[in-house]
Each structure stands twice: as C-alpha cells, then as structure tokens.
Amino acid sequence: MDKLIITGGVPLDGTIRISGAKNSVLPILAATLLADGPVTIGNVPHLQDVTTTMELLGGMGVELMVDERMSIEANTSSVDNFSAPYELVKTMRASILVLGPLLARFGRAEVSLPGGCAIGSRPVNLHLQGLEAMGAEVRVENGYIRAHVNGRLKGAHLFLDNVTVTGTENLMMAAALARGTTVIENAAREPEVEDLANCLIAMGAGIEGAGTDTITIHGVERLEGCRYNVLPDRIETGTYLVAGAITGGRVRLKDTRPEIIDSVLVKLEEAGAEIDTGPDWIELDMKGNRPRAVDVRTAPYPAFPTDMQAQFTALDSVAEGTGTIRESVFENRFMHVQELQRMGADIRLEGNTAICIGVEKLTGAPVMATDLRASASLVLAGLVADGDTIVDRIYHIDRGYECIEEKLAQLGARIRRVPA
C-alpha cells in the first residue's frame, strides 16, 4: 500500500489540467447498460473507482475498450449477468447505480448493498421506493437488493423525501426506458446529475428539467449508442484552488468550468484570494499572503459542497482568525480533524461543527487517510507544514484524484509516492 511523503513550505505556482469528473463518469458508465449500441465516453479520469466500475460492467458481459486518451467504448450487446457482487460493491458506493439501468432494460437486477467511504449513513431506501412506485418488485435479503419487473417499468410521480444524488440518477436512468412519463420532485441539482441527463439525451432519452429540483422523463422504447465527453471535476478543481490558497501561491487550472463551483470561489475570495476566470479556466493568486479564516456550511448544490468541507477545514487551520465549518449533509465527516490535530491544528468539534482557530504553522507528522476527501485535506495540510508529512492509506485518494502527486509536483510541491 503506497504512501505520500510531502515536504511543506513551498508556495505553489504553475498551471495544471483538470480531469473529467469522477461523479459524472461513474453514473454515465452505468448508463451504458441502457443503450442498444456502443457508447463512447471521453474525458475519462484514470481513477480506481473507474477501474472498479469497468470490472463490475465487464463481469456483467459488457465489452469495454479503452484507448490511449482514456476514452472508453462500452458495448452491452453481450450482457448476460445481472448481478453486482459484494466483492466489488463494498469498495465503491456508486455501484448501486447499475440497479436502475439493469431493471429498466433487462427486467431484473441483483445488487449488493453498497459500501464506499465511511462518512455516515447514506441509505438506499429512496432508490427502492421509487423503483417500487414504477412497478418493480423489490426485496432486500442476505445483503443484496433483488428486484424484477414483468414487462417494462411504468412512469410515476416521485417525491424524494431527501435530496439524493445517486437516488436521482438511478431513478432518472430507470425512467428513461419506462412506459409513460416520470416526474422526480426534490431532485438533486448537481452538475453531475445534469451531465448524466445530457448523456442520456444524446442516447435519445426524453428528459427535461435536469439541473432543477423537478426532472421530467418521457420514457422511450429504446436508447441508441452515442459519443459523450464528461464534464470537468469541480471537486478536483476546488481542491487545487485550495492548495494554491493554503500555500499563499498562484495556480492556474485549465479545462475546467468556473460556473459549477461558484460557492467555492466566493469562499476563496473571502479568504483573500484574487480570482480570475475564463470560459474554461480559473486562476487564483494569493500574492504570498496567508489566507483569512472563513465560515462554511455544507448543503446540497448549488450551496457549498460537502466534498469540499475537509479541504476548507485544512485551510482554516492555518488561516488568520477563527472559522467555523458546519457539516449538514453527512453526520460522520470530521474524521480528518483528529489527524489535523496531530499536525498542530487547533480545532474543536461541537456536534456537526468544527471551530478552527488558525495557527501560524503546522508540523509534519505521520497521518492516516480515512476517506477520499479527508485524504485530500491531509495532503493540503502537508503542503504548508514544517518538515515531512507522511500520508498513509492513500488508496482513498486514488479513488478520486488522478495522479495527485504528479499534478502537485507540476505546481512546485515537494511530494512523492513511495511503497509502504
């Protein structure tokens, strides 16, 4: 198991390219199960979660081809297995996204209850209730969701009790081949949901309202193959912007989209960053200054993303003043705090709030990653710590960040990957 060793104290300076969005490519890969013809997906990030998804689809009989530019062609004409086993699903929660497509196109599915990061309870009951409302028979037994439908799913009016990204995506994919019209109210508005909808539309789906809280899907008889490029990763974008800010540096990110991380840019400007943007680039310049503390409260899009909370906790830990970080999405997403405290951070937890009193310096220490975004926060802290920070269990990072040590090194960071 690899580790990252970071020697802090270098203000970042340079330009890097942002990869395709992890949280878009995973549902879009699942959506290929709906298409009669080959689907080619471009701008795919080279991530462990993508590899796991490909292994999952390959086990079902999907024929996959990858070119040197990391475009993936998926052909589902040979699918003969409708099961997603525990061995794969336990490592990646997004595996649940094959449930809707399998049921819609093939009439049956057997999917293990999901795993993924240990950041709190993320029940799948809304997925199941929605599929039942569309005519599926669903039962959960022995750790598996077993579902089938006689004929086609039927359109339904669905109201989601809580905003759920994967729930919205699963039900939208299922509805694409249902008979009649489905309306999803209180739908997730994330750009990745809209990206999935745009890919389905390219396949021939009838979808209106993606990106709003009410999505209408007019079911069609069949979906065709298509070519589709995944949107840029807004969380990777935000993470490298924080890396620039926390080190007092200057970073320019290309092949990204500023409009999908407005809430993050606002907070970085509050922290003292000078930000300039264009259609597909963002530049942040701290001009050598220490960041100012900011208050953050996470909430569903378009509010501040929970996936950026850990990174801003690291920022506030070395900022001027006191900042409060309120986590309203997941109940167990402050596991990085204890590791930051090991590096000298002055953070107090009160329920779902972290109160960060900024210190002038962190000190390098051995730390352990507990989930994907917590891992990123420890890397960011290591960039400004005195001495060496050793981040262990970085397989979490590899699930969501493409070549993080190479990109940071391009910006001047002293960082290297070593075998454990």
Side-chain angles (χ1 to χ4, degrees):
M1 195 180 299
D2 292 350
K3 299 178 181 180
L4 289 176
I5 300 178
I6 306 151
T7 304
V10 178
L12 300 188
D13 188 0
T15 301
I16 57 171
R17 177 188 175 273
I18 294 301
S19 302
K22 171 182 104 81
N23 290 336
S24 273
V25 72
L26 301 184
I28 287 173
L29 278 168
T32 64
L33 290 164
L34 294 165
D36 284 350
V39 176
T40 301
I41 309 167
N43 199 32
V44 176
H46 190 272
L47 301 172
Q48 184 57 48
D49 275 9
V50 172
T51 303
T52 302
T53 303
M54 292 175 66
E55 188 178 349
L56 176 64
L57 293 175
M60 295 175 179
V62 179
E63 297 175 4
L64 297 158
M65 290 195 308
V66 184
D67 69 16
E68 67 279 0
R69 298 186 307 277
M70 270 305 285
S71 287
I72 299 176
E73 181 182 283
N75 188 328
T76 63
S77 59
S78 301
V79 170
D80 58 1
N81 174 29
F82 312 107
S83 176
Y86 172 70
E87 290 70 29
L88 290 176
V89 177
K90 71 179 179 181
T91 67
M92 188 187 67
R93 177 177 179 79
S95 304
I96 189 71
L97 288 165
V98 300
L99 177 61
L102 285 175
L103 198 54
R105 184 163 173 219
F106 301 103
R108 54 193 171 118
E110 184 176 283
V111 179
S112 172
L113 289 168
C117 287
I119 59 174
S121 173
R122 295 190 280 182
V124 298
N125 59 304
L126 297 179
H127 304 234
L128 308 189
Q129 290 168 7
L131 292 171
E132 286 177 331
M134 296 168 71
E137 293 186 24
V138 182
R139 65 185 191 280
V140 179
E141 54 189 16
N142 306 121
Y144 277 81
I145 302 163
R146 294 186 169 95
H148 75 276
V149 62
N150 294 321
R152 289 170 61 190
L153 293 169
K154 63 179 188 297
H157 197 113
L158 309 176
F159 180 85
L160 305 180
D161 288 341
N162 300 301
V163 176
T164 162
V165 172
T166 54
T168 300
E169 291 169 337
N170 231 340
L171 297 173
M172 183 167 62
M173 288 188 284
L177 288 179
R179 183 178 288 111
T181 296
T182 299
V183 178
I184 306 174
E185 291 198 61
N186 200 29
R189 299 164 58 186
E190 272 72 1
E192 296 80 12
V193 174
E194 189 173 2
D195 206 33
L196 171 62
N198 288 337
C199 181
L200 292 170
I201 291 168
M203 294 180 189
I207 300 176
E208 302 160 1
T212 75
D213 60 4
T214 302
I215 302 176
T216 302
I217 306 104
H218 306 287
V220 297
E221 288 280 343
R222 62 192 297 271
L223 294 174
E224 310 281 353
C226 72
R227 290 181 171 269
Y228 190 80
N229 286 334
V230 173
L231 93 167
D233 195 311
R234 63 193 170 101
I235 305 303
E236 186 193 33
T237 298
T239 300
Y240 287 117
L241 290 173
V242 173
I246 201 172
T247 62
R250 182 203 69 85
V251 296
R252 183 181 178 93
L253 310 181
K254 59 183 183 179
D255 295 340
T256 188
R257 283 173 44 187
E259 74 275 9
I260 61 177
I261 58 160
D262 279 344
S263 61
V264 173
L265 297 181
V266 166
K267 289 298 173 182
L268 287 168
E269 287 180 326
E270 281 184 28
E274 184 177 291
I275 291 175
D276 195 12
T277 63
D280 60 354
W281 58 269
I282 304 171
E283 183 168 297
L284 174 143
D285 194 348
M286 289 296 291
K287 300 187 180 300
N289 295 319
R290 181 181 173 193
R292 296 191 294 266
V294 295
D295 295 335
V296 163
R297 180 182 183 276
T298 68
Y301 190 86
F304 190 90
T306 180
D307 278 354
M308 285 300 303
Q309 178 260 104
Q311 296 90 315
F312 270 76
T313 304
L315 181 77
D316 271 356
S317 71
V318 296
E320 292 180 11
T322 299
T324 58
I325 311 283
R326 291 183 175 84
E327 175 58 61
S328 71
V329 179
F330 295 119
E331 74 276 11
N332 192 28
R333 206 167 196 182
F334 280 123
M335 290 183 287
H336 47 284
V337 166
Q338 187 172 359
E339 301 301 299
L340 290 171
Q341 289 168 336
R342 286 170 44 78
M343 299 176 70
D346 185 355
I347 306 174
R348 185 174 78 254
L349 287 178
E350 294 183 359
N352 68 338
T353 301
I355 301 166
C356 308
I357 301 173
V359 298
E360 286 204 23
K361 279 290 181 184
L362 297 174
T363 55
V367 291
M368 186 172 293
T370 52
D371 63 70
L372 170 55
R373 306 307 173 184
S375 308
S377 75
L378 301 179
V379 171
L380 295 175
L383 293 173
V384 290
D386 281 340
D388 287 349
T389 298
I390 302 169
V391 184
D392 203 353
R393 293 175 66 183
I394 62 168
Y395 60 85
H396 287 295
I397 292 179
D398 293 335
R399 288 186 47 229
Y401 290 93
E402 181 176 41
C403 305
I404 189 170
E405 72 277 14
E406 294 177 20
K407 290 188 177 184
L408 286 171
Q410 287 176 40
L411 296 173
R414 293 177 291 187
I415 179 171
R416 67 188 191 276
R417 180 183 293 250
V418 297

